[in-house]
Structure formats: structure tokens, C-alpha cells
Amino acid sequence: MAKDWFEWHDLYQTDARLQQRLEIVREYITRSLDAAPSGQIQVVSACAGDGRDLLGALANHPRAQDVQARLVELNPQLVERGRATLEAIGLTKQIEFINGDATLAAAYSGAVPADIVIVCGIFGNLANEAELQRLIRNLSYLSKSGAFVLWTRGHLDGVTHSETVRRLFQEAGFEEVDFRLTQTGDMGVGIHRHLGENTPVPNEEQLFEFIGKPDKYQIQPVR
Ligand SMILES: C[S@@+](CC[C@H](N)C(=O)[O-])C[C@H]1O[C@@H](n2cnc3c(N)ncnc32)[C@H](O)[C@@H]1O
């Protein structure tokens, strides 16, 4: 069992569901980059972990030099590892890894509205559906009109939580671009388009509350 979020990231080495989820997230990031018009591509990633999704997708992408990104993560060890990866792939000038609280609107000041918004590994760590609705509503602060929003949501005890996420995005006026379950069948990965207008001033100082704990994660070994 992972004792903190740094240790939780070790599960990427052994957990089939996380490995498959990462593959799909990187594919969706690549698709979003491919679809971006010429010029600068603004990206933000909330609760970014060590950034392996975005940085992995950028490592060989022809548009990597066009990307300006801010990744926000609370765990300093993960930020350190993310910064080391940035050095290794030569993108330190345009990508910043902030050690801070991603639930606060202030963390994104100067980096939004974005063309690509990554909110992976968050929805399963919110208190309830109302909190998820609140976060989806607050995505209008992070997103340009037309922005791609990438998300993940695991299932638990047969409850298909990702269906709730899809419904709430639809109710909030987002367009579903794609949605896929991992081969393990219990992790949803989605990409939605924000069709509404950007909200240049946040509706609230805190966009969501992250209450999840790393030791609650249920491991799916690679078969
Ligand atoms: C489930 S992990 C997901 C990490 C990454 N997005 C991924 O998909 O691999 C959740 C991450 O959120 C971070 N986190 C938790 N609360 C946070 C907060 N208030 N601000 C920023 N990061 C936070 C944790 O440290 C952890 O790295």
C-alpha cells in the first residue's frame, strides 16, 4: 500500500490499470497537440504527479517547442523528479513545474486560459458528485473556448463512476471527443471539449477540494 503520493507513483511499474490509463492519456495528449492550430499551445496540468503523461507525450512530438505549460503538484519529490525529466528532454524554458496547491485558482494565474487542460487522477479523490460538478464548472476558468480537457476516473466495486463523469460533462455543455476504458475494464479515460466561453475571473478562489488518500488505491497486477 502506498504511504504517500510519491510511493503511489511506483504502482506505475506493476499496476496494469495505471499503465493502460497512462497509455491512453498520452495518446489523447498527442491528439490534442496534433489538432492545435499553428503557434503557441498553452497547457496546464493540475495535481500533475511527476508529469509523466504530458512529458512522455511531448518527448517525441513535433509540436513540443510550441508548448508553454504549467504543471502544479503538491508533493516536492514528485516536482523534483518532474523537473529532472524536463531537463532531460530539454524543455525547461517553456514548461514550469510548480510546487503548490492545484486546488487554488491563483496557482494558474498567468498560465490560463489553456488549450489543453489535464485533470487526471483527481475525480476519484473528490468528496462527492456535487464536488465533481463544481470542479467541472470551474474548468471554464482554466480552459479556452474549444480547449481539450483530459480526465480519468476509476471504477470501484462494480460502480461505473466514469459514466457519472461523462453525464456531468454533457450536462455542463462539454462535447465528448473520445472515451475509453482500459483493457482491465475498470478505469475510464476521457477527452472533452470545452464549448463554453472562458471565465477570465475565477468564480471561486478554490476550484475543488482534493480529499483522497494514496493508501486507498486498489492494485490491479499485470496479468
Ligand atoms: C492520483 S495522483 C495523480 C498524479 C498524476 N496526475 C497522474 O495521473 O499520474 C494525485 C496527485 O495529486 C497530488 N495532489 C494532491 N492534493 C494536491 C493539491 N492540493 N495540489 C496539488 N497536487 C495535489 C498528489 O500529490 C498526487 O501526486
Side-chain angles (χ1 to χ4, degrees), residues 5-6 8-9 12 18 21-22 25 45-53 72-75 78 100-104 118-122 125 152 206 208 210-212:
W5 287 112
F6 185 73
W8 178 89
H9 279 68
Y12 273 112
L18 276 186
R21 154 196 193 278
L22 177 63
V25 171
S45 178
C47 300
D50 61 10
R52 66 182 66 202
D53 44 15
V72 187
E73 166 58 45
L74 206 52
N75 181 299
L78 289 167
D101 188 348
T103 71
L104 301 179
I118 303 171
V119 282
C120 293
I122 298 180
N125 292 299
T152 60
Q206 185 164 28
F208 60 98
F210 187 108
I211 61 156

Side-chain angles (χ1 to χ4, degrees), residues 111-123:
V112 291
D115 301 286
I116 302 174
V117 176
I118 303 171
V119 282
C120 293
I122 298 180
F123 292 173

Side-chain angles (χ1 to χ4, degrees), residues 89-105:
I89 62 175
L91 293 176
T92 48
K93 287 208 178 73
Q94 69 227 61
I95 301 186
E96 45 179 357
F97 226 118
I98 302 282
N99 189 194
D101 188 348
T103 71
L104 301 179

Side-chain angles (χ1 to χ4, degrees), residues 163-182:
E163 290 307 315
T164 306
V165 177
R166 297 172 80 188
R167 174 174 56 79
L168 293 182
F169 266 117
Q170 189 184 19
E171 287 172 9
F174 285 71
E175 174 188 72
E176 184 169 283
V177 179
D178 204 354
F179 169 79
R180 214 177 306 159
L181 283 178
T182 54

Side-chain angles (χ1 to χ4, degrees), residues 6-197:
F6 185 73
E7 211 174 273
W8 178 89
H9 279 68
D10 290 344
L11 296 172
Y12 273 112
Q13 287 158 35
T14 50
D15 186 76
R17 176 172 43 189
L18 276 186
Q19 291 173 355
Q20 293 164 11
R21 154 196 193 278
L22 177 63
E23 215 170 291
I24 303 172
V25 171
R26 282 182 178 161
E27 185 192 316
Y28 285 171
I29 293 171
T30 302
R31 275 171 69 173
S32 312
L33 294 168
D34 291 345
S38 59
Q40 186 178 306
I41 307 169
Q42 190 70 40
V43 182
V44 289
S45 178
C47 300
D50 61 10
R52 66 182 66 202
D53 44 15
L54 177 63
L55 306 186
L58 286 178
N60 291 309
H61 198 281
R63 298 292 307 275
Q65 294 302 330
D66 294 332
V67 170
Q68 291 283 333
R70 180 176 299 171
L71 295 87
V72 187
E73 166 58 45
L74 206 52
N75 181 299
Q77 285 173 288
L78 289 167
V79 172
E80 198 180 315
R81 190 155 74 191
R83 286 180 181 153
T85 308
L86 275 178
E87 291 271 354
I89 62 175
L91 293 176
T92 48
K93 287 208 178 73
Q94 69 227 61
I95 301 186
E96 45 179 357
F97 226 118
I98 302 282
N99 189 194
D101 188 348
T103 71
L104 301 179
Y108 305 93
S109 176
V112 291
D115 301 286
I116 302 174
V117 176
I118 303 171
V119 282
C120 293
I122 298 180
F123 292 173
N125 292 299
L126 306 176
N128 50 36
E129 192 173 314
E131 188 62 11
L132 176 56
Q133 240 169 345
R134 172 184 171 210
L135 169 49
I136 290 176
R137 200 171 50 242
N138 283 328
L139 286 172
S140 64
Y141 171 61
L142 302 182
S143 314
K144 286 183 189 170
S145 185
F148 293 103
V149 177
L150 280 66
W151 58 271
T152 60
R153 179 63 167 107
H155 299 174
L156 194 61
D157 301 330
V159 183
T160 54
H161 291 292
S162 62
E163 290 307 315
T164 306
V165 177
R166 297 172 80 188
R167 174 174 56 79
L168 293 182
F169 266 117
Q170 189 184 19
E171 287 172 9
F174 285 71
E175 174 188 72
E176 184 169 283
V177 179
D178 204 354
F179 169 79
R180 214 177 306 159
L181 283 178
T182 54
Q183 279 174 356
T184 57
D186 56 355
M187 175 66 76
V189 186
I191 175 167
H192 276 76
R193 217 151 189 192
H194 176 239
L195 298 182
E197 291 302 312

